[in-house]
Amino acid sequence: MLKVTQLHVRYGTSVTALTDVSLGVGEGEVVAVLGANGAGKSTLLRALSGTLPHHGGQVTRGSIEFEGRDLLGVSPRRIVRAGLIQSPEGRRIFKGLSVEENLRVAAAGAGIPTRHAATVRRTVWDLFPRLEQRREQSAGLLSGGEQQMLAIGRALMAQPRLLLLDEPSLGLAPQMVDSVGAIIEEIHRRGTSVLLVEQNAAMALAVSDRAVVLASGSVCATGPADHLAASDELRDLYLGGTPAPTLDGAPQ
Ligand code: ATP
């Protein structure tokens, strides 16, 4: 479905953010992209959603294909229409609009006809009953977890073939992180493929089929999620494993 081949990305002339990154997402798969701060996760998503130029970045080599179509140079709007939809980090919802208005705007932005949008909205309410209860409420008054659900709901309004999730667990309490994991599994169960970008490796590996680990802009490991979850070396080096002991033996 998605095929990224030997992708190189630079910002300006001096920053190389991705080097030789290759990965794929098959139909019906959940694939996680893991990595610490600065590993290149957001850069990868920007390349996929066509927004790199807005951040001063450019693809200098490699290719991105979605369902057989070359995406390089394609506008973000056309990429959305092709079914590659991102739910951005930081929950960029419209806080001054109601919950329902946020969903309406998302559908209009993706070119979903008004009559059809009501049907799609029903599926979002089914997935997030708490949002339906708060449909009239200003989105800015939702809790952090509810705002994250709304951000995912907005992306679903565009009827993704492949949903790109940018750190959906960021800043959430552990219980909410579990809820986000359960929602991803449910979205997958309903037939949408997912590329999940996360720092929370435990949650991401628990809900993914496969994972790719980025370090300093390159792929340092890839494989079935359960294999990566069981790798002590990966956990300690790249995935935020057990903290190193201090000299007196207590964790740092
Ligand atoms: P985080 O989890 O902190 O968001 P990340 O894995 O998403 O990190 P990126 O934001 O993709 O990492 O950053 C990868 C590299 O590119 C870093 O060295 C970063 O400083 C650099 N970078 C990111 N955005 C820009 C930009 N707009 N201009 C210049 N350099 C950038």
Side-chain angles (χ1 to χ4, degrees):
M1 195 173 206
L2 176 73
K3 192 172 168 204
V4 175
T5 310
Q6 298 185 323
L7 196 69
H8 289 244
V9 171
R10 283 164 72 155
Y11 292 103
T13 51
S14 55
V15 179
T16 300
L18 295 181
T19 307
D20 218 11
V21 169
S22 298
L23 58 93
V25 182
E27 179 102 42
E29 265 194 320
V30 179
V31 175
V33 175
L34 305 170
N37 281 329
K41 305 182 299 299
S42 299
T43 300
L44 175 66
L45 286 181
R46 287 170 189 163
L48 296 179
S49 59
T51 58
L52 260 182
H54 304 299
H55 298 270
Q58 60 167 329
V59 173
T60 53
R61 253 169 56 198
S63 64
I64 303 174
E65 277 177 41
F66 181 59
E67 304 204 301
R69 182 176 166 190
D70 180 4
L71 283 195
L72 285 188
V74 175
S75 71
R77 173 178 287 263
R78 284 179 183 273
I79 290 174
V80 164
R81 300 270 160 111
L84 192 63
I85 316 289
Q86 183 173 346
S87 173
E89 183 196 349
R91 308 166 205 148
R92 274 179 242 138
I93 56 173
F94 295 114
K95 295 191 174 171
L97 298 184
S98 73
V99 169
E100 181 163 342
E101 284 165 342
N102 264 276
L103 297 187
R104 286 178 185 273
V105 168
I112 306 292
T114 315
R115 255 184 312 131
H116 185 47
T119 312
V120 184
R121 206 158 53 243
R122 183 70 259 155
T123 66
V124 172
W125 295 147
D126 287 347
L127 198 56
F128 304 110
R130 285 170 72 90
L131 291 185
E132 185 174 22
Q133 287 162 13
R134 289 160 179 72
R135 61 198 290 171
E136 307 283 334
Q137 186 176 311
S138 170
L141 297 176
L142 297 175
S143 72
E146 289 163 352
Q147 289 188 18
Q148 183 57 62
M149 299 305 174
L150 180 56
I152 297 173
R154 281 176 48 93
L156 293 176
M157 287 303 296
Q159 299 206 283
R161 301 257 312 123
L162 174 61
L163 176 64
L164 308 176
L165 292 173
D166 190 1
E167 304 219 25
S169 77
L170 195 73
L172 299 184
Q175 204 183 344
M176 255 345 275
V177 173
D178 291 345
S179 303
V180 167
I183 289 294
I184 294 168
E185 285 182 320
E186 180 59 21
I187 290 170
H188 177 220
R189 203 187 58 77
R190 293 181 181 197
T192 303
S193 309
V194 178
L195 184 70
L196 168 63
V197 167
E198 261 297 340
Q199 281 196 46
N200 186 326
M203 183 276 273
L205 291 173
V207 302
S208 302
D209 301 303
R210 292 187 301 109
V212 174
V213 184
L214 289 181
S216 304
S218 298
V219 174
C220 65
T222 180
D226 48 356
H227 287 196
L228 292 176
S231 160
D232 290 343
E233 189 191 359
L234 267 180
R235 198 172 55 234
D236 293 344
L237 282 177
Y238 303 111
L239 305 180
T242 316
T246 54
L247 285 179
D248 63 4
Q252 282 173 325

